[in-house]
Amino acid sequence: MTKLWNKGYNLDAVIENYTVSDDYSLDQKLVQYDCVASLAHAKMLHKIGILTTQELRDLEMGLQEIMSLWEQGKFKIERSQEDCHTAIETYLIEHYGDAGRKIHTGRSRNDQVLVALKLFAKDEIGQILEAAQELVKSLNAFAKAHRETPIPGRTHMQLAMPASLGLWAGAMSASLQDDVIFLQAALKIIDQCPLGSASSFGVSLPLDRQFVSDTLGFEKVQHNVLYCANSRGKWESMALSAYTQIMLTLSKAANDLIFFSLPELGYVSLPKELCSGSSLMPQKKNPDGLELIRAKAATVQGNLNIILEIIRPLISGYNRDFQETKRPFMQSTQITKESLWVMTHTIEKLEVHLDKCVAAFKPELFATDWVMELVAQGIPFRTAYQQVAQNPNDAPHQDPIQNIRTKNYD
Ligand code: ARG
């Protein structure tokens, strides 16, 4: 199979296996985006007089054929082809001759992979934002339903003050809403079209970059051609920083739910359909989904570091090192999306046990409220504090539900 850079010799097999690695199979995810970008590029080449109308038609047909083959799972990328860009151009040349030979005019695989990855990223981040909004909705509904479901609030994991499941769910929702703003900011930075930057230095043809950018639905052209190349890995790491924040929120929520559902506490429980059992201990009902959210948060954060470390030592311009950022980026995108789905599903199925929540209230939880009562009677705060500190468990008994009703939790 001929490579795009074929110059009449064969690449050493050991080097080929090592350099291509699994990149050609990751590229299955980029085929549709490369076709869309190639089509916009072809339209632009036609506009500036490089492709005839017939050649443009041929390329439109060819790219359509590739997309429908891909949709049926029949578009193969061979390892020897290195990537989807080669497989697509090879198909176009085999089926449409010179039109196929002209498609690469004015571009390099370096800007080609950037644009395909950005189109992929825009789609996926759009889905992640939607999934995050869904979870915000579920958390808000849960918060509303459990506004008056009391649970002990903790600091240092010790009993602190009365809280509610509603307060907890609202906190998770607020955290996720911040993460959404962060991811939207990353998306705005990603939404700049790199096509036309070619290898890293543009080309001496009057490419209409604005036309390509508009056709592909980017917010604007990413103007500096060298920065286009340099920004690879950088924008992925921005998305991953936001994914990391989302995963931190999910991880905290997962941890809290695992804690709330401890048999000794039992404020909530997961329906058995969401839990797996033990191969040995018949009584076990394990929150594996939540545990894996916690672990996958570490993977996403680790992947962020991988990308940052890959790009950190590079000099300006394309370097093959960039290829290694594709896998951690794609993997983290998938993990973040799926983790949001799993958490939404879990919140919607969560069973709450009001009796257990109320039973968890020991008198000491009302100690600070007792101090406030004394303060309201005119006793100086420090004096009241010291008085209650003598015996916090003597705090006058309160109904936990009544107590949290008086708190300004919203
Ligand atoms: N698979 C390569 C990547 O992801 C495609 C670009 C190859 N470019 C090159 N100059 N060898 O970076």
Side-chain angles (χ1 to χ4, degrees):
M1 199 65 67
T2 313
K3 295 181 173 36
L4 293 182
W5 51 271
N6 175 39
K7 282 175 283 197
Y9 67 90
N10 288 328
L11 185 63
D12 179 283
V14 173
I15 292 295
E16 178 173 285
N17 277 340
Y18 189 72
T19 55
V20 177
S21 180
D22 61 346
D23 194 57
Y24 75 106
S25 58
L26 293 175
D27 267 18
Q28 271 297 343
K29 287 208 165 98
L30 296 183
V31 171
Q32 52 168 328
Y33 300 109
D34 193 78
C35 286
V36 169
S38 293
L39 190 56
H41 183 67
K43 284 182 180 159
M44 185 276 291
L45 291 178
H46 175 251
K47 187 167 178 273
I48 65 169
I50 287 173
L51 289 178
T52 65
T53 302
Q54 185 54 47
E55 285 166 341
L56 175 60
R57 284 213 188 103
D58 286 351
L59 291 173
E60 277 168 352
M61 291 243 292
L63 290 165
Q64 270 308 329
E65 286 159 18
I66 294 170
M67 282 205 262
S68 64
L69 282 172
W70 177 82
E71 272 159 22
Q72 299 162 51
K74 289 186 189 153
F75 188 74
K76 297 271 169 294
I77 305 167
E78 308 290 343
R79 178 193 283 273
S80 60
Q81 289 177 313
E82 297 185 329
D83 47 41
C84 68
H85 320 297
T86 306
I88 290 169
E89 185 173 321
T90 304
Y91 180 98
L92 294 173
I93 292 173
E94 272 171 18
H95 293 81
Y96 294 95
D98 277 351
R101 278 182 206 98
K102 286 188 183 181
I103 184 80
H104 208 56
T105 313
R107 72 178 184 186
S108 148
R109 274 184 300 170
N110 301 348
D111 60 342
Q112 208 180 340
V113 65
L114 266 167
V115 75
L117 269 170
K118 280 191 163 188
L119 291 171
F120 166 83
K122 282 177 55 172
D123 246 15
E124 293 284 329
I125 291 173
Q127 290 175 40
I128 289 174
L129 286 168
E130 246 172 58
Q133 305 288 10
E134 279 303 303
L135 179 52
V136 164
K137 260 198 251 160
S138 296
L139 284 166
N140 289 349
F142 185 89
K144 202 166 166 209
H146 294 288
R147 199 179 177 283
E148 295 182 359
T149 304
I151 54 166
R154 289 168 192 267
T155 60
H156 309 265
M157 290 185 81
Q158 307 297 314
L159 294 182
M161 290 178 71
S164 74
L165 271 181
L167 177 68
W168 173 83
M172 297 304 122
S173 166
S175 178
L176 197 55
Q177 289 175 59
D178 278 355
D179 304 338
V180 163
I181 295 170
F182 195 20
L183 184 56
Q184 281 165 336
L187 180 59
K188 189 168 172 60
I189 291 168
I190 291 168
D191 203 3
Q192 306 178 55
C193 187
L195 206 59
S197 60
S199 293
S200 306
F201 307 101
V203 289
S204 51
L205 283 171
L207 302 179
D208 189 340
R209 296 192 63 197
Q210 188 64 51
F211 173 84
V212 174
S213 175
D214 292 345
T215 306
L216 289 174
F218 280 95
E219 195 187 327
K220 58 178 181 175
V221 172
Q222 190 178 15
H223 276 291
N224 186 296
V225 289
L226 181 56
Y227 177 56
C228 289
N230 287 354
S231 71
R232 185 154 175 208
K234 181 177 163 83
W235 61 259
E236 289 92 325
S237 74
M238 290 177 181
L240 256 76
S241 296
Y243 296 170
T244 299
Q245 290 300 326
I246 291 174
M247 293 303 293
L248 278 176
T249 300
L250 296 185
S251 189
K252 188 179 285 293
N255 237 340
D256 284 344
L257 290 174
I258 291 169
F259 179 66
F260 294 164
S261 64
L262 289 183
E264 289 81 355
L265 303 182
Y267 312 153
V268 299
S269 60
L270 298 174
K272 59 180 181 325
E273 300 77 32
L274 266 56
C275 296
S276 28
S278 154
S279 59
L280 174 64
M281 300 166 285
Q283 84 284 12
K284 291 308 293 288
K285 212 184 103 188
N286 303 323
D288 299 29
L290 294 173
E291 292 170 293
L292 283 165
I293 285 178
R294 217 164 42 179
K296 285 171 195 257
T299 305
V300 170
Q301 190 178 335
N303 281 342
L304 167 61
N305 220 33
I306 287 175
I307 293 181
L308 291 172
E309 280 300 290
I310 290 170
I311 62 175
R312 184 179 52 78
L314 305 182
I315 68 156
S316 283
Y318 178 85
N319 298 273
R320 188 69 180 268
D321 310 49
F322 285 132
Q323 183 178 286
E324 281 293 294
T325 64
K326 198 186 281 174
R327 189 184 318 104
F329 175 63
M330 287 181 166
Q331 187 196 31
S332 299
T333 301
Q334 187 73 14
I335 289 176
T336 306
K337 189 166 63 176
E338 287 176 0
S339 302
L340 283 162
W341 290 340
V342 167
M343 185 55 81
T344 305
H345 197 62
T346 306
I347 295 292
E348 281 167 5
K349 303 248 164 170
L350 212 54
E351 293 161 359
V352 174
H353 307 294
L354 185 60
D355 54 333
K356 296 272 178 59
C357 295
V358 170
F361 274 71
K362 296 213 179 120
E364 67 181 277
L365 271 164
F366 300 110
T368 309
D369 286 338
W370 189 17
V371 174
M372 296 307 141
E373 273 168 39
L374 298 175
V375 164
Q377 290 162 21
I379 300 176
F381 167 77
R382 191 54 63 205
T383 311
Y385 170 93
Q386 267 150 7
Q387 186 184 318
V388 171
Q390 301 297 317
N391 226 335
N393 262 315
D394 285 350
H397 176 76
Q398 292 190 40
D399 173 11
I401 300 178
Q402 288 300 335
N403 178 285
I404 55 162
R405 249 179 219 159
T406 65
K407 299 285 165 64
N408 50 344
Y409 277 163
D410 294 329

